[in-house]
Every structure is written in structure tokens, then in C-alpha cells.
């Protein structure tokens, strides 16, 4: 029994040493890309973009409470009771969602976004403008999606992390 413990500890030590070597060989992390900021100045929520490779800031002539990268050089903006798609090339805006106020949104896939309000998370289809309830026990404004847009991740009113498979309807509760 004691020998098994030593082998287990020795195995973990070797794995840690290998991990440290791999990280050291790869060198420092180099972030290339762009980061969106929401800077509040005198009550105006100005969206600013930081280009990591050029190390420069670019002020965007749009405002919003939240900004999320979308497709084709566009961002989606939370305007409290609407979501606008802002084209970074043309500076044009298109309203994607307009209706009641909401707290947060996330991109599910090319045609759908999710919107949280109070204890609900809704799925909104951009083309048909249909909105359906996905979750009624949401405990946090913030939620996210799997890369394929099939799994919704959120925390419930008890602070437990949950997943919802939107294709099968299966809900998994990761109780803390």
C-alpha cells in the first residue's frame, strides 16, 4: 500500500516536471488579436478595441453596455433594450433584437442569440424573431455556449453550474 502511494506521488511529480518543461520550451505567451473594452466616460459607454499585435487602441463610434465579437468583422452591442450589429468596416448598425429590456446576451450560433433577464434565459432566432424560454432558474446574468452552440452553460439560483443540451433537452446539474 505504501509503495503504491510512492509510485503515485512520483508519477505526479514527473508529470509536473514535464509540464513545466513544455511551458518553458514554448516561451512566453504572445497574445495576437483584438480585445473589446467597454469604457464608461461621463455616463457614455464607449466601446474601445485594443489591437494586441499593433499595441494600439481604437475608439469605435458606437456605444453599448456590452460588446461581443460576431462574424464578418462585426460586433454585437447591448443597448439595454436592443441588440445592434455594428460593422467595423462601414460603421453601419443593424438592429438584431428590439423589445423588452434585458441583462446580458451571448451568441449561440450564426442565427441565434441567448438573452438573460431576471431568472430567465431566452433563445432568440434572428431570422424568424422567435423567442423561447430555455431556463427559468437562472441565478446570474452571465451565461455561455459550447463552440457548436448545442450546450448552454449557466449558474442557477442556488449557485450550481448547469448545462442544457438544446437538442436533447437534457439538463445536467453540477451541484457544489
Amino acid at each position: 500500500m505504501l509503495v503504491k502511494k510512492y509510485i503515485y506521488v512520483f508519477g505526479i511529480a514527473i508529470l509536473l516536471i514535464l509540464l513545466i518543461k513544455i511551458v518553458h520550451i514554448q516561451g512566453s505567451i504572445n497574445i495576437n488579436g483584438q480585445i473589446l473594452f467597454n469604457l464608461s466616460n461621463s455616463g457614455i459607454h464607449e466601446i474601445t478595441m485594443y489591437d494586441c499585435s499593433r499595441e494600439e487602441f481604437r475608439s469605435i463610434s458606437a456605444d453599448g453596455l456590452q460588446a461581443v465579437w460576431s462574424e464578418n468583422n462585426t460586433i454585437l452591442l447591448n443597448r439595454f433594450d436592443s441588440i445592434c450589429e455594428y460593422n467595423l468596416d462601414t460603421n453601419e448598425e443593424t438592429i438584431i433584437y428590439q423589445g423588452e429590456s434585458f441583462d446580458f446576451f451571448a451568441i449561440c450560433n450564426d442565427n441565434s442569440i441567448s438573452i438573460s433577464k431576471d431568472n430567465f434565459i431566452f433563445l432568440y432566432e434572428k431570422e424568424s424573431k422567435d423567442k423561447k424560454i430555455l431556463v427559468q432558474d437562472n441565478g446570474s446574468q452571465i451565461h455561455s455556449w459550447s463552440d457548436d452552440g448545442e450546450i448552454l452553460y449557466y449558474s442557477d439560483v442556488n449557485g450550481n453550474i448547469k448545462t442544457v443540451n438544446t437538442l436533447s433537452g437534457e439538463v445536467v446539474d453540477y451541484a457544489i
Side-chain angles (χ1 to χ4, degrees), residues 115-122 133 135-138 143:
I115 300 169
S116 66
K117 178 171 176 63
D118 300 326
N119 292 71
F120 295 90
I121 297 177
F122 301 92
I133 296 173
V135 169
Q136 297 183 44
D137 65 342
N138 186 33
H143 58 276

Side-chain angles (χ1 to χ4, degrees), residues 66-79:
Q66 171 192 1
V68 177
W69 291 110
S70 189
E71 55 191 357
N72 302 326
N73 210 26
T74 61
I75 56 175
L76 297 182
L77 300 168
N78 177 344
R79 296 272 175 79

Side-chain angles (χ1 to χ4, degrees), residues 12-40:
I12 290 175
I14 289 175
L15 286 175
L16 286 174
I17 291 170
L18 287 174
L19 182 63
I20 291 170
K21 290 280 188 185
I22 289 170
V23 170
H24 181 68
I25 290 170
Q26 291 179 349
S28 63
I29 297 172
N30 184 11
I31 299 175
N32 290 318
Q34 299 170 339
I35 302 170
L36 289 173
F37 291 95
N38 180 340
L39 302 175
S40 184

Side-chain angles (χ1 to χ4, degrees), residues 3-166:
V3 174
K4 284 184 181 181
K5 285 184 182 179
Y6 284 124
I7 292 172
Y8 180 73
V9 170
F10 183 70
I12 290 175
I14 289 175
L15 286 175
L16 286 174
I17 291 170
L18 287 174
L19 182 63
I20 291 170
K21 290 280 188 185
I22 289 170
V23 170
H24 181 68
I25 290 170
Q26 291 179 349
S28 63
I29 297 172
N30 184 11
I31 299 175
N32 290 318
Q34 299 170 339
I35 302 170
L36 289 173
F37 291 95
N38 180 340
L39 302 175
S40 184
N41 184 15
S42 303
I44 298 171
H45 295 278
E46 180 181 302
I47 305 299
T48 303
M49 183 173 62
Y50 180 70
D51 188 327
C52 297
S53 59
R54 294 183 183 162
E55 297 182 358
E56 64 185 24
F57 289 92
R58 173 184 165 199
S59 183
I60 297 171
S61 61
D63 65 340
L65 302 171
Q66 171 192 1
V68 177
W69 291 110
S70 189
E71 55 191 357
N72 302 326
N73 210 26
T74 61
I75 56 175
L76 297 182
L77 300 168
N78 177 344
R79 296 272 175 79
F80 183 67
D81 62 352
S82 66
I83 299 171
C84 297
E85 182 177 57
Y86 181 83
N87 187 311
L88 293 167
D89 295 327
T90 64
N91 297 333
E92 294 177 356
E93 291 185 24
T94 305
I95 295 176
I96 301 297
Y97 169 82
Q98 192 166 24
E100 60 183 311
S101 62
F102 58 93
D103 300 316
F104 181 83
F105 76 91
I107 296 174
C108 172
N109 57 41
D110 293 343
N111 190 43
S112 304
I113 55 177
S114 55
I115 300 169
S116 66
K117 178 171 176 63
D118 300 326
N119 292 71
F120 295 90
I121 297 177
F122 301 92
L123 185 65
Y124 179 75
E125 301 290 334
K126 293 190 270 186
E127 290 177 13
S128 67
K129 302 197 183 320
D130 288 335
K131 186 168 87 170
K132 70 176 184 177
I133 296 173
L134 289 177
V135 169
Q136 297 183 44
D137 65 342
N138 186 33
S140 172
Q141 297 174 358
I142 298 172
H143 58 276
S144 62
W145 288 91
S146 61
D147 287 340
D148 60 9
E150 293 178 9
I151 309 291
L152 170 68
Y153 301 92
Y154 75 101
S155 60
D156 69 9
V157 292
N158 297 317
N160 296 325
I161 303 298
K162 287 189 172 181
T163 62
V164 177
N165 184 317
T166 57

